[in-house]
């Protein structure tokens, strides 16, 4: 039996377990990636391991998310990251160089390699044939230390692309179509592997758009073959030596096959406030728009912005619309400037923003009160933009540009308007300028780590022993995101290295009294619905509740990365055995679990609701290794006491 692309790469990096679907495997990652919002906790954790230098083949620290230097906090964090990079042997990508995912596949990604990144959209590199997985920063720190990363062997789903996109229809529409079909939970426990003749018409940046938003279907990762298109891209980047052909064997076996016909695909839009709330653009052409944002790691490539500029050329941005544009990387921005594309955008009325995540994560460019913002980024969760009551729509760059002109959700029409887009692609050559990377010294032992007053030590959770009797501090519905738990905004990210402070905004957009209740209760439990913790990999969404005394989460289901983060920080991830029991619990009910460590070991836990005098069962879906981590009080305690038994 042949192997899929993903199986071939996993096999080459497997150090523990076997590739049986659902079984636990341990793999080594060649590359690690952190950024300024998640990386601070990662390097604080790495410090505690007393390892002088990273052991991964290549580690990069990117400064790309919160570049607003409104006070000392962000600049202090950036200096902390610079000094930790120098001390531990990590390459630093300076502020202004661009977004981590886009830079990495341009300048460092190698087909057949593995990458773990402290961001859920680290999957972007799958467009280059790299197996990329998003995780919490603590797991990335462990990979930097040379440790294996453990996960359940995913199913491999074949996504077969047929035909070719029409002008005005984009790679963004392919992933929106997949979201429309399978939803934000449809990829859980799966790797989406792309194949078919339609793949041959997609550039590496277009493929990266699709693998980037594989995170939105909940997939472990997504991957494309490494082929002649890949080779052409690497040649243009001056990296032909990094090319390796990787394709699935003809007799490879997949758990499922999904077919998308590109010939029939139309421009699509994800409506508020979930990426899978997808309809045709033509169904929303009466929606009036206040703001348009073109850019992000999803759609900030040269061709993305060149196509938007072509639609706008000779026209003006509607007077009721604020249009901002941000290239994904400095390299891309320089190419756009050389070719006069930035000048064309400015002439049309666009505002040119920094090469950063910015607006995508609610750091600048927040819409007006109750405003409608049309974006080419990857998430449209409530509050994601920095304005809690704004309505966010996700579209392709072509659709965004047309919308900026009309002031209403619009698509590029058939005929001449669409045909002008047909031959716009990536530049013939990329000019290489890597001067914004700072390479570490051979020996960083003498480097002193910079610590501003906002940088606080990483809190270590208490070890769970005996019985657990705690009140329910909060009860939430389905699809609670990490943005709901710790908001993705300038306010949040400026506090990223200070857990006591960031804990004060926990659930601020969902439950304004949560923090006050949690402090009064001292120890507590959270109850959630389906897909609790979906979205970003930021472990602050686990650490902040833990710091406030949350000892467990009971939910109908828990998103993969958030579940791992809960385990890493000693918070029990419990799942209702019977989902109907969710309705039998109210906020402030007292829940009791007897002999918690023994029940963790059995992986079946009985919970007594003492307030209502009823019992129900929950499951703790963890491996023996993860059970040991929980009983140890989280991963840092586990590492220090590897031989401790439960």
């Amino acid at each position: 039996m042949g192997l899929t692309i993903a199986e071939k790469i996993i096999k080459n990096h497997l150090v523990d377990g076997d590739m049986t679907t659902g079984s636990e495997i341990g793999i080594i990652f060649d590359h690690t990636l952190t950024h300024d919002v998640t990386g601070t906790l990662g390097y604080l954790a790495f410090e505690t391991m007393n390892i002088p230098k990273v052991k991964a083949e290549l580690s990069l620290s990117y400064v790309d998310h919160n570049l607003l230097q409104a006070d000392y906090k962000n600049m202090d964090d950036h200096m902390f990251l610079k000094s930790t990079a120098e001390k531990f042997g990590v390459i630093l990508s300076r502020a202004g160089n661009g977004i981590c995912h886009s830079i990495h596949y341009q300048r460092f990604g190698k087909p057949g390699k593995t990458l773990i990144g402290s961001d859920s959209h680290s999957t972007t590199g799958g467009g280059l044939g790299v197996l990329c997985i998003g995780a919490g920063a603590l797991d990335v720190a462990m990979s930097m230390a040379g440790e294996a990363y453990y996960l359940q062997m995913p199913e491999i789903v074949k996504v077969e692309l047929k035909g070719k996109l029409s002008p005005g229809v984009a790679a963004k529409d392919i992933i929106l179509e997949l979201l429309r079909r399978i939803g934000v939970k449809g990829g859980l426990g799966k790797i989406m592997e792309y194949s078919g003749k339609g793949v041959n018409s997609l550039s590496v940046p277009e493929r990266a758009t699709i693998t980037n938003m594989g995170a939105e279907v909940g997939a472990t990762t997504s991957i494309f073959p490494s082929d002649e298109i890949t080779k052409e891209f690497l040649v243009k980047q001056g990296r032909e030596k990094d090319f390796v052909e990787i394709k699935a064997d003809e007799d490879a076996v997949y758990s499922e096959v999904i077919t998308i016909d590109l010939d029939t695909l139309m421009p699509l839009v994800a409506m508020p406030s979930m990426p899978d709330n997808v309809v045709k653009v033509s169904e929303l052409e009466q929606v009036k728009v206040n703001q348009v944002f073109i850019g992000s790691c999803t759609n900030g490539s040269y061709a993305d912005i060149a196509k938007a500029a072509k639609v706008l050329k000779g026209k003006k941005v509607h007077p009721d619309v604020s249009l901002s544009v941000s290239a994904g990387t400095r390299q891309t921005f320089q190419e756009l400037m050389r070719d006069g594309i930035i000048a064309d955008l400015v002439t049309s009325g666009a505002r040119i923003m920094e090469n950063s995540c910015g607006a995508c994560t609610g750091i600048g460019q927040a819409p007006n009160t109750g405003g409608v913002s049309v974006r080419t980024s990857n998430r449209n969760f409530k509050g994601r933009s920095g304005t809690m009551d704004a309505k966010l729509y996700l579209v392709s760059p072509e659709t965004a540009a047309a919308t900026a002109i009309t002031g209403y959700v619009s698509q590029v029409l058939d005929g001449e308007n669409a045909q002008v887009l047909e031959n716009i692609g990536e530049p013939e050559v990329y000019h290489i300028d890597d001067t914004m990377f700072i390479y570490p010294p051979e020996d960083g032992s003498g480097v002193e780590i910079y610590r501003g007053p906002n940088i606080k030590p990483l809190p270590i959770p208490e070890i769970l022993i005996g019985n657990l009797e705690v009140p329910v501090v909060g009860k939430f519905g389905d699809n609670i995101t990490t943005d709901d738990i710790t908001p993705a905004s300038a306010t949040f990210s400026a506090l990223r290295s200070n857990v006591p402070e960031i804990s004060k905004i926990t659930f601020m957009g969902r439950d304004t009294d949560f923090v006050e209740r949690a402090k009064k209760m001292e120890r507590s439990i959270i109850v959630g619905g389906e897909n609790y913790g979906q979205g970003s990999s930021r472990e602050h969404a686990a650490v902040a509740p833990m710091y406030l005394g949350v000892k467990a989460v009971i939910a109908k289901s828990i998103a993969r990365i958030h579940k791992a983060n809960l385990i890493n920080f000693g918070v029990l991830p419990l799942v209702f055995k019977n989902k109907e029991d969710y309705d039998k619990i109210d906020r402030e009910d007292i829940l009791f679990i007897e002999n918690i460590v023994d029940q963790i070991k059995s992986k079946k836990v009985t919970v007594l609701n003492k307030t209502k005098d009823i019992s129900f069962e929950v499951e703790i879906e963890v491996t023996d290794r993860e059970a040991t981590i929980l009983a140890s009080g989280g991963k840092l305690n586990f590492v220090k006491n590897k031989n401790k038994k439960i």
Side-chain angles (χ1 to χ4, degrees), residues 540-553:
H540 301 82
V543 179
M546 179 275 288
Y547 182 80
L548 292 171
V550 173
K551 302 303 175 187
V553 172

Side-chain angles (χ1 to χ4, degrees), residues 270-339:
M271 300 190 297
S273 291
M274 278 289 149
D276 61 354
N277 190 15
V278 175
V279 299
K280 293 179 181 178
V281 172
S282 58
E283 296 177 26
L284 296 181
E285 292 184 332
Q286 298 305 309
V287 175
K288 185 169 175 54
V289 176
N290 308 110
Q291 183 194 62
V292 173
F293 166 62
I294 298 172
S296 85
C297 59
T298 313
N299 279 121
S301 74
Y302 177 94
D304 285 333
I305 294 172
K307 288 178 180 178
K310 194 70 173 179
V311 174
L312 283 156
K313 192 173 177 66
K315 303 177 179 66
K316 296 294 182 182
V317 173
H318 192 280
D320 293 339
V321 173
S322 171
L323 169 64
S324 59
V325 179
S326 176
T329 70
R330 177 170 172 263
Q331 182 191 71
T332 297
F333 186 68
Q334 287 174 310
E335 299 295 348
L336 292 165
M337 285 197 299
R338 287 187 186 97
D339 293 342

Side-chain angles (χ1 to χ4, degrees), residues 17-78:
D18 63 76
M19 296 193 305
T20 303
T21 301
S23 65
E24 186 178 56
I25 59 171
I27 58 177
I28 291 292
F29 282 92
D30 303 308
H31 295 185
T32 71
L33 174 158
T34 62
H35 58 65
D36 50 312
V37 169
T38 59
T40 50
L41 289 189
Y43 292 106
L44 287 168
F46 189 82
E47 271 191 285
T48 69
M49 301 178 199
N50 296 317
I51 297 172
K53 192 172 183 177
V54 297
K55 297 181 179 180
E57 178 184 304
L58 182 70
S59 291
L60 279 105
S61 175
Y62 291 91
V63 180
D64 63 355
H65 270 61
N66 194 346
L67 308 188
L68 296 174
Q69 295 167 345
D71 61 21
Y72 65 91
K73 297 186 188 72
N74 281 330
M75 190 63 179
D76 279 359
D77 277 357
H78 298 167

